[in-house]
Amino acid sequence: MSHLQLVLPLAVRNDDPTTSVTPPNRNSQIARLLDAYTLADLTDEEAVEVTLGHPPTLADEGLRRRASDLRALGWITPTGETRPNSRGRQRIVCKITDAGRDAHMGVFCND
């Protein structure tokens, strides 16, 4: 019996649904979060706040986790700087990469 092996992008786990490998559209969480990084260098928490328009709550944890997907895709990268989050803990600041700008253009400018 042969097995089909699916090679997934870095940001997708093998047990994620197939919708995780489809390209983002402008309304997806990952696209909206990437849009925030076009405005400024941000921590994950700051990016979520920019995206939502209010400070993140525990219910918004899933959106914050999309920042790690953006890093895994190479669309954002740490700047080497840290800033305190709302609880005073130091968090990494990330900036959009050239690959992230290309992805952003593909999502928001190609209708």
Side-chain angles (χ1 to χ4, degrees):
M1 175 192 296
S2 74
H3 290 83
L4 177 65
Q5 183 175 12
L6 181 62
V7 179
L8 302 172
L10 291 175
V12 179
R13 294 171 296 276
N14 287 329
D15 60 344
D16 279 347
T18 56
T19 53
S20 296
V21 298
T22 58
N25 65 52
R26 70 179 60 216
N27 295 318
S28 69
Q29 286 185 334
I30 200 164
R32 291 173 47 224
L33 196 61
L34 181 63
D35 197 38
Y37 285 98
T38 66
L39 304 173
D41 297 350
L42 303 165
T43 65
D44 295 356
E45 183 179 40
E46 291 167 342
V48 171
E49 185 168 353
V50 167
T51 299
L52 298 175
H54 61 79
T57 65
L58 188 57
D60 303 315
E61 182 66 15
L63 181 57
R64 188 195 59 76
R65 290 181 184 193
R66 299 292 70 83
S68 65
D69 294 342
L70 293 174
R71 280 188 288 280
L73 288 165
W75 292 355
I76 62 172
T77 190
T79 64
E81 178 186 354
T82 62
R83 280 199 285 266
N85 68 4
S86 61
R87 292 183 221 133
R89 293 185 173 158
Q90 291 296 312
R91 296 293 182 230
I92 62 170
V93 175
C94 288
K95 65 179 179 180
I96 194 167
T97 64
D98 289 339
R101 288 191 194 289
D102 290 345
H104 182 265
M105 292 293 289
V107 170
F108 288 95
C109 297
N110 292 335
D111 290 327

